[in-house]
Amino acid sequence: DIVLTQSPGTLSVSPGERATLSCRASQSFTSYLAWYQQKPGQAPRLVIYGASSRATGIPDRFSGSGSGTDFTLTISRVEPEDVALYFCQQYGTSPLTFGGGTKVEIK
Amino acid sequence: QVQLVQSGAEVKKPGSSVKVSCEASGGSFSRYAITWVRQAPGQGLEWMGAIIPVFGRVYYAQKFQGRVTITADDITNTAYMELGSLRSEDSAVYYCARGDDPGDYAINYDYWGQGTQVTVSS
């Protein structure tokens, strides 16, 4: 199984600052990598798919990049509504797997 | 607009089974895989398996093989996930999810159900 390791566990940023979330895979795979945002008590919401494509309705301050084993989600200017848990998911190899998540909080 | 509506919370005894439903509306049902993902308290997401109704194909994570059964009814546009031999570690929120790529289960998920809390307790 492909293990996805996310870092940091918690990211504390001030409004307007940049947030960089990392997702590292235990083995290389094609860019079938997605990012999800989950707010408390809600289901996950797709943010990025194909490593770098924004999902419908996602603001352009969210961007994804990376390939192989290293992927990044960047929030260029964090806003209070971005406070959430963010998960990466690989869907290139079965079983599909998720990272452990990064919590983004506001300073 | 695709919507997935799941059945309500369940409380089960250890050793019993639970069956969670997921009714889809707003688009073709049988061409798209319905996937089941669970989330234990304070934990990450765990892929359990998926079904593609039009092909009648079901895919399970090895961890749950033999204990989980995923089915679909394309008359009522409803998918089901039944998990047996329940133990306390199975207490979690169970989600169904669907993507926008027909005929494939190894995809990202654009649509999610609201989640079903399953509590296993004696």
Side-chain angles (χ1 to χ4, degrees):
Chain A
D1 298 4
I2 295 179
V3 177
L4 299 179
T5 302
Q6 290 188 241
S7 61
T10 301
L11 189 56
S12 187
V13 296
S14 299
E17 281 189 347
R18 184 184 197 88
T20 303
L21 288 67
S22 171
C23 176
R24 179 161 290 177
S26 60
Q27 55 187 280
S28 180
F29 60 96
T30 52
S31 297
Y32 292 128
L33 191 285
W35 290 91
Y36 298 88
Q37 175 192 71
Q38 186 179 35
K39 297 183 178 181
Q42 296 184 17
R45 177 191 184 192
L46 180 67
V47 177
I48 297 288
Y49 64 95
S52 60
S53 297
R54 262 189 310 277
T56 303
I58 299 299
D60 60 8
R61 64 180 181 273
F62 288 88
S63 63
S65 62
S67 62
T69 59
D70 289 292
F71 299 86
T72 300
L73 174 69
T74 302
I75 310 173
S76 60
R77 296 171 305 280
V78 170
E79 296 193 6
E81 62 260 33
D82 300 334
V83 167
L85 201 50
Y86 291 83
F87 294 100
C88 57
Q89 175 217 2
Q90 68 80 19
Y91 50 99
T93 303
S94 189
L96 284 63
T97 51
F98 293 86
T102 290
K103 181 179 180 181
V104 172
E105 57 182 35
I106 296 289
K107 273 185 191 171
Chain B
Q1 175 73 352
V2 174
Q3 281 197 311
L4 302 175
V5 178
Q6 298 182 222
S7 49
E10 302 263 13
V11 179
K12 294 292 182 180
K13 300 283 189 193
S16 67
S17 297
V18 68
K19 191 170 186 177
V20 181
S21 68
C22 172
E23 182 177 358
S25 62
S28 170
F29 174 74
S30 61
R31 295 170 59 214
Y32 295 89
I34 296 287
T35 290
W36 290 90
V37 173
R38 77 177 186 179
Q39 185 173 34
Q43 302 296 310
L45 300 165
E46 187 171 31
W47 185 79
M48 300 179 69
I51 186 167
I52 307 177
V54 69
F55 299 141
R57 291 181 190 159
V58 190
Y59 308 85
Y60 297 121
Q62 189 166 10
K63 172 178 178 176
F64 298 100
Q65 201 86 359
R67 209 159 66 91
V68 68
T69 304
I70 296 174
T71 56
D73 181 344
D74 57 12
I75 302 297
T76 60
N77 290 353
T78 302
Y80 300 90
M81 185 283 301
E82 184 169 20
L83 185 63
S85 303
L86 290 169
R87 34 211 189 227
S88 58
E89 312 88 87
D90 294 317
S91 294
V93 176
Y94 290 76
Y95 292 101
C96 61
R98 205 208 85 169
D100 263 343
D101 298 310
D104 193 1
Y105 76 96
I107 55 176
N108 54 268
Y109 308 127
D110 300 80
Y111 313 103
W112 292 72
Q114 82 275 21
T116 296
Q117 175 70 54
V118 174
T119 302
V120 183
S121 173
S122 53

